[in-house]
Amino acid sequence: METDETAPAFAVYTYELDDATGGYVATGVQHDRITVAVPFDLDIELKGVRER
């Protein structure tokens, strides 16, 4: 967890199943907003989640 008040409180790591290997590969690290299309459309502003 970051100690600077302007830094994100947490991060969301996203992964996707790789058809070639059958394993998961990292697709990103989100701090403010998560937007993905696989396996379904998802768009969440993470600031609102942190404040709850």
Side-chain angles (χ1 to χ4, degrees):
M1 178 130 357
E2 300 283 342
T3 57
D4 180 35
E5 290 183 26
T6 61
F10 63 87
V12 174
Y13 296 82
T14 56
Y15 297 84
E16 186 173 312
L17 187 59
D18 182 8
D19 292 332
T21 65
Y24 285 93
V25 293
T27 58
V29 180
Q30 287 75 32
H31 298 281
D32 297 320
R33 176 177 226 88
I34 181 172
T35 305
V36 296
V38 176
F40 49 86
D41 290 336
L42 179 69
D43 184 9
I44 299 174
E45 183 179 339
L46 297 174
K47 181 181 177 187
V49 174
R50 285 194 302 256
E51 293 175 352
R52 290 182 183 235

